[in-house]
Amino acid sequence: MIDINIMKIMEIDTLLFAKVIADDTRQEIMKCLCCVWLSVNDVVEKLEGKVNQPTVSHHLKKLEEARLVFVREEGRQRFYTLNEEYLTVCCGALISKFAPSYSAQVVPLDSIPTSDA
Amino acid sequence: MIDINIMKIMEIDTLLFAKVIADDTRQEIMKCLCCVWLSVNDVVEKLEGKVNQPTVSHHLKKLEEARLVFVREEGRQRFYTLNEEYLTVCCGALISKFAPSYSAQVVPLDSIPTSDA
DNA sequence: TTGACATATTGATTGACATCAATATAATGA
DNA sequence: TCATTATATTGATGTCAATCAATATGTCAA
């Protein structure tokens, strides 16, 4: 059980995770999507003209590919929300990879999501 | 006491942190510097021709600016090691910012380093 | 002081990617 | 069916950053 989870956290692509969160606009979008479901246009409006719709779609796609958001389709709209749990697991993977001394006290081994999205 | 630490974790620039770790070569260097002190040339050799010395110096500078490595000068050599604690704190800052629901169980509030490097 | 070594800096090149305008696709209502 | 709305895709452009060769800076030994 624990072994499986340790294996899973090892498989996490810390480079992909880092690259996806290493963008200002993307971090702003993540902040918007924390704890709430928003449509693409909701996000565009929340960013108040900083970027326009295709750019937001582009970033949401990146976040989706990195499993950092959940998507729910509803008619012609797509609602997104942040996958806080997976984000936490990725941070745990970073610590487990680069700060093994702090791994034990930090990584929540029993909250790792399964692969079937 | 806890308040001060919470304040500190809030001040952490999660965008800078993400950008610095969002590079393959830099992650390899970080892996090399985990738990050991290495000189610049030691790192160059460990990377076995992947990049050359100026590139390694460049990356080490970035890591130093982001407080992710400690430096010790010794004669004409400079030894580096990964700052595992600060890396852990940065991960905690990410979680506290983007996954507040998981913040409590993950962030090690009492292991935040002081500003005087 | 001079030569060898260790690291940092500079300038040029290149590739990756964020952004936008324009357009395509898809769903809904009249 | 047609117009409208919501989102995605495409192609072009510009910017940033990784990399390297060459060189500078700083340290040690003889």
Side-chain angles (χ1 to χ4, degrees):
Chain A
M1 178 57 171
I2 286 177
D3 287 342
I4 291 169
N5 286 332
I6 288 173
M7 290 307 294
K8 280 197 181 168
I9 217 172
M10 289 314 205
E11 289 167 12
I12 287 172
D13 186 342
T14 55
L15 185 59
L16 173 63
F17 173 65
K19 283 188 174 179
V20 169
I21 66 170
D23 179 83
D24 182 40
T25 304
R26 222 134 51 206
Q27 286 206 1
E28 288 187 42
I29 292 174
M30 288 164 66
K31 205 90 183 74
C32 292
L33 295 178
C34 195
C35 310
V36 292
W37 288 87
L38 294 183
S39 73
V40 179
N41 272 338
D42 289 341
V43 176
V44 174
E45 284 172 20
K46 268 218 154 195
L47 296 184
E48 292 173 328
K50 199 213 173 196
V51 289
N52 52 21
Q53 178 265 315
T55 301
V56 172
S57 279
H58 165 73
H59 288 305
L60 288 171
K61 189 179 181 182
K62 294 264 182 163
L63 289 167
E64 187 180 355
E65 287 166 354
R67 295 183 51 191
L68 286 173
V69 291
F70 292 120
V71 195
R72 176 163 52 85
E73 316 224 356
E74 203 158 308
R76 48 189 162 186
Q77 304 192 77
R78 280 165 70 88
F79 291 89
Y80 293 86
T81 195
L82 195 59
N83 185 348
E84 297 182 46
E85 186 174 36
Y86 190 65
L87 186 141
T88 303
V89 170
C90 287
C91 289
L94 277 176
I95 293 170
S96 133
K97 186 170 189 177
F98 298 112
S101 326
Y102 294 84
S103 207
Q105 59 188 99
V106 163
V107 184
L109 282 175
D110 50 353
S111 68
I112 297 169
T114 53
S115 305
D116 46 289
Chain B
M1 178 55 171
I2 287 177
D3 288 341
I4 293 170
N5 286 332
I6 288 174
M7 290 306 294
K8 281 195 181 170
I9 217 173
M10 290 312 206
E11 289 167 12
I12 287 172
D13 186 343
T14 55
L15 185 59
L16 172 63
F17 172 66
K19 284 188 173 179
V20 169
I21 66 171
D23 179 85
D24 183 39
T25 304
R26 223 133 52 207
Q27 286 205 1
E28 288 187 41
I29 292 174
M30 288 164 65
K31 205 90 183 74
C32 293
L33 295 177
C34 194
C35 310
V36 293
W37 288 87
L38 294 183
S39 72
V40 179
N41 272 338
D42 289 341
V43 176
V44 173
E45 284 173 20
K46 267 217 153 195
L47 295 184
E48 292 173 327
K50 199 214 170 194
V51 289
N52 51 22
Q53 179 265 317
T55 301
V56 172
S57 279
H58 165 74
H59 288 306
L60 289 170
K61 188 179 182 183
K62 295 263 181 164
L63 290 168
E64 186 181 355
E65 286 165 354
R67 296 183 50 192
L68 285 172
V69 291
F70 291 120
V71 195
R72 176 163 52 85
E73 316 223 357
E74 204 158 307
R76 49 189 161 186
Q77 304 192 76
R78 279 165 71 87
F79 290 89
Y80 292 85
T81 195
L82 195 60
N83 185 348
E84 297 183 47
E85 186 174 37
Y86 189 66
L87 185 141
T88 303
V89 171
C90 286
C91 289
L94 277 176
I95 293 170
S96 132
K97 186 170 187 178
F98 297 112
S101 326
Y102 294 85
S103 207
Q105 59 189 98
V106 162
V107 183
L109 282 175
D110 51 352
S111 69
I112 296 169
T114 53
S115 305
D116 47 289

